[in-house]
Amino acid sequence: MNMLDRTPSRELQEHLWVFPMDYPIKLIGLAGDELRHAVIDIFLKHFPDFEGDSVSITPSRTGKYHSITAQLRFLELEQVHAVYADLAACPLIKTAL
């Protein structure tokens, strides 16, 4: 069973979202520089002006995982789905919130 759904939950009341919107995203994945680079590459694909230095990384207690947080500015619902699809396709990412 894949821990990461391919699209954002439909239970999020998408019809209430107002675009553009600032959205705090949190990802959990295997610790390492590869994760950071993969996440930044995905964000840059969808947000060309994204600044990689704005990503916050917190290691887990055991050091096996990293939590990555970032603030994204979505312009439309389709952009949300596209970002989550790319994050889901990344084998280093275990969960996207």
Side-chain angles (χ1 to χ4, degrees):
M1 181 173 164
N2 187 353
M3 291 177 60
L4 183 61
D5 190 1
R6 297 286 178 214
T7 60
S9 172
R10 299 288 183 203
E11 297 173 20
L12 293 177
Q13 304 289 326
E14 292 174 350
H15 65 282
L16 298 176
W17 293 1
V18 178
F19 293 94
M21 73 173 191
D22 293 323
Y23 185 80
I25 192 165
K26 183 173 188 174
L27 310 167
I28 299 171
L30 298 173
D33 286 337
E34 292 177 10
L35 174 65
R36 181 181 181 278
H37 293 299
V39 168
I40 290 173
D41 286 348
I42 291 169
F43 290 165
L44 284 171
K45 174 182 173 183
H46 297 279
F47 307 95
D49 296 332
F50 182 78
E51 295 183 20
D53 294 341
S54 66
V55 169
S56 171
I57 300 174
T58 306
S60 66
R61 207 171 3 109
T62 63
K64 183 175 179 178
Y65 298 98
H66 278 171
S67 168
I68 296 180
T69 56
Q71 189 79 14
L72 303 177
R73 182 154 184 86
F74 288 106
L75 302 178
E76 60 187 8
L77 181 60
E78 292 77 17
Q79 192 178 27
V80 175
H81 293 291
V83 169
Y84 273 89
D86 284 351
L87 293 171
C90 180
L92 299 172
I93 298 170
K94 300 301 179 192
T95 302
L97 306 171

